[in-house]
Amino acid sequence: MEGCRDAKRGAAATAADDLPDDAVVEILSRVPVRSIHRFKCVSKRWRDLIADPLHRKRLPQTLEGFFCSDGGGFGWRFISLPGRSAPPVDPSFSFLTKLPGIENIKLLGSCNGLLLFEHGRKPDTAPAYAVCNPATGEWVAVPSAGCRSPDRLEERTELIFYPAVSPHFHLVHICHEHVKLEVRAYSSETRVWSDMVSQKSGWQDGGWKQWVNGGAMLRSTFRGAFVNGMLHLITFRSEYPWENQIVAVDIKGKTSSIIPWPDTSSCPLFVGQSQGRLHCVGRLDEWERKCLKWAGLSIWVLEDYDTGGWVLKHRVSFLKLFGQMSRYVYERYELAIHPDRNMIFLTELSNQKLMVYDMDNENLDAFHTLGHNYGSLIPYVPNFLNLVLTNEH
């Protein structure tokens, strides 16, 4: 039997090697990204075809690692995932030195291969932005959204990019004040910001009234997630009854739906996209007679987007992740999720390690030491397509 199986494998490998290069690349461009890495083992020729920079534009990409700021000032480094030999891009971003207010530059986030920076922020002025594709060296400057009220409670700018639908990117800027909500959207096609909601009478537009009048506020410390063509943001009600929600926003800054958080006993900390579905990680504490019995993370997946059907995917204790169950271990940490595998990435202030937790085999691995002055970690999935990212000079 073993001989038969070996013969079949040999015949399959021979048939694969008989295909011309263009046919192999065309086949590989149509398979899921997880299969690309497995197909490197078919033969040396397939491995070389997949690794060839000329073919990368046609092949699906996956998470390569994280951009990490130095914790203040200008400067970043790239942290590759285990098994990656070298950073796929140069993290110096030399073009940024040409931007005004370089001393206040900040990397805000990423979406499908593009990075979003803000710069020039001062107490009395609103920041401007820059969007770049580090894989191709393209970049474009974006003007300020204009929201600069000192009374703002929460403020954030999110990048939306969906290359399968359009080569243009969008920004959504949300500024929440005590008596006003400002939501502005920017398109790289029109190159202008549009006011969607700027006064109380406008709260009815796009469902914002339900969000603001319900006392909801953004969780500004956690980034949004782009899934199913929508940007998803974690909000919470600041008035009784306290309730956590996830708001879905389209590229024009209009709310499409408000998705209830399924677990009232836990607090959502992070939303992300993995394997085409929205995932949310929550912090869960279980008490017994005023004593902490269990503390950890719960990972949920939105299996049915239309009905809001959440499914509990996994639970892991802080004892497993951090070596202790004390509630103080999660005073500061960051979370990310692998876009194609059942893995979460996390950091914790005390040990300054970047760790990966595999939900399938429950294995925890600390693969990088961050140091004392590390800043935000921004996940990066390369995009080698030529995009519409050119400045007018």
Side-chain angles (χ1 to χ4, degrees):
M1 292 295 292
E2 288 294 333
C4 292
R5 280 195 291 266
D6 290 340
K8 290 180 180 179
R9 291 193 194 102
T14 301
D17 281 334
D18 288 340
L19 293 173
D21 289 355
D22 289 344
V24 173
V25 174
E26 182 65 27
I27 292 171
L28 294 176
S29 69
R30 300 172 183 271
V31 302
V33 67
R34 291 188 68 176
S35 299
I36 293 291
H37 295 279
R38 291 199 298 267
F39 289 160
K40 289 181 180 179
C41 302
V42 170
S43 68
K44 182 178 182 299
R45 173 170 163 260
W46 277 42
R47 183 197 66 191
D48 293 341
L49 287 174
I50 293 171
D52 191 331
L54 295 177
H55 298 146
R56 286 182 176 179
K57 294 181 180 181
R58 300 174 59 184
L59 301 181
Q61 302 296 319
T62 190
L63 183 70
E64 287 285 343
F66 299 86
F67 287 102
C68 179
S69 67
D70 290 338
F74 182 80
W76 291 268
R77 53 194 162 110
F78 190 83
I79 303 171
S80 297
L81 295 189
R84 303 293 196 273
S85 58
V89 295
D90 180 5
S92 65
F93 306 124
S94 58
F95 74 87
L96 294 177
T97 58
K98 303 175 184 178
L99 298 174
I102 189 66
E103 66 277 2
N104 295 319
I105 200 163
K106 182 180 180 181
L107 179 55
L108 298 182
S110 64
C111 185
N112 288 326
L114 301 190
L115 303 180
L116 172 64
F117 297 86
E118 74 167 25
H119 63 96
R121 176 181 284 276
K122 297 179 181 178
D124 57 341
T125 61
Y129 303 95
V131 175
C132 81
N133 182 354
T136 62
E138 299 172 284
W139 70 280
V140 64
V142 178
S144 167
C147 181
R148 53 177 182 245
S149 170
D151 297 326
R152 59 181 179 267
L153 296 174
E154 303 287 347
E155 182 181 14
R156 71 192 304 160
T157 304
E158 294 280 352
L159 171 65
I160 298 177
F161 178 54
Y162 197 18
V165 174
S166 170
H168 298 282
F169 68 85
H170 298 79
L171 302 183
V172 174
H173 178 85
I174 303 172
C175 183
H176 189 189
E177 301 177 19
H178 291 280
V179 295
K180 185 173 68 173
L181 178 74
E182 253 187 14
V183 181
R184 299 184 177 186
Y186 177 89
S187 167
S188 64
E189 183 175 17
T190 62
R191 302 195 178 196
V192 295
W193 287 94
S194 60
D195 287 347
M196 298 307 303
V197 182
S198 60
Q199 55 186 352
K200 186 174 181 179
S201 61
W203 285 356
Q204 289 84 355
D205 296 338
W208 288 107
K209 179 180 180 181
Q210 179 183 356
W211 181 36
V212 179
N213 287 3
M217 297 178 61
L218 286 170
R219 287 189 173 272
S220 60
T221 54
F222 300 105
R223 292 183 290 270
F226 184 68
V227 186
N228 201 30
M230 305 291 291
L231 173 66
H232 297 79
L233 305 169
I234 298 176
T235 68
F236 70 100
R237 289 174 56 96
S238 58
E239 302 172 359
Y240 184 82
W242 299 284
E243 183 182 10
N244 293 288
Q245 300 171 328
I246 297 173
V247 176
V249 182
D250 66 14
I251 61 174
K252 296 182 178 180
K254 294 183 179 180
T255 55
S256 171
S257 61
I258 296 178
I259 305 171
W261 172 239
D263 186 6
T264 57
S265 61
S266 68
C267 174
L269 301 175
F270 167 84
V271 285
Q273 183 277 138
S274 182
Q275 299 159 82
R277 291 191 174 99
L278 181 68
H279 284 64
C280 189
V281 180
R283 186 197 74 213
L284 178 62
D285 294 342
E286 294 181 356
W287 298 84
E288 187 176 86
R289 297 179 182 179
K290 298 183 179 181
C291 293
L292 185 61
K293 180 181 178 181
W294 191 92
L297 300 177
S298 57
I299 297 95
W300 295 79
V301 57
L302 189 60
E303 291 284 1
D304 192 323
Y305 197 92
D306 295 329
T307 63
W310 291 94
V311 173
L312 180 61
K313 186 172 186 174
H314 193 80
R315 293 202 332 167
V316 57
S317 70
F318 285 128
L319 187 62
K320 170 76 172 180
L321 297 176
F322 304 123
Q324 55 180 313
M325 197 168 56
S326 168
R327 64 182 307 170
Y328 297 106
V329 300
Y330 50 76
E331 284 186 346
R332 177 190 164 187
Y333 59 85
E334 291 192 67
L335 291 163
I337 192 166
H338 199 291
D340 305 297
R341 304 181 65 181
N342 294 326
M343 292 179 172
I344 58 172
F345 300 87
L346 63 160
T347 67
E348 201 271 319
L349 179 62
S350 63
N351 62 24
Q352 298 164 359
K353 299 285 187 181
L354 177 57
M355 301 178 289
V356 57
Y357 176 73
D358 192 321
M359 288 178 265
D360 292 332
N361 57 30
E362 300 186 0
N363 181 60
L364 180 68
D365 179 36
F367 65 93
H368 187 84
T369 301
L370 295 165
H372 293 282
N373 296 321
Y374 78 90
S376 297
L377 291 167
I378 305 297
Y380 177 63
V381 176
N383 188 321
F384 295 95
L385 297 174
N386 291 320
L387 309 173
V388 184
L389 287 178
T390 55
N391 287 281
E392 293 181 350
H393 298 287

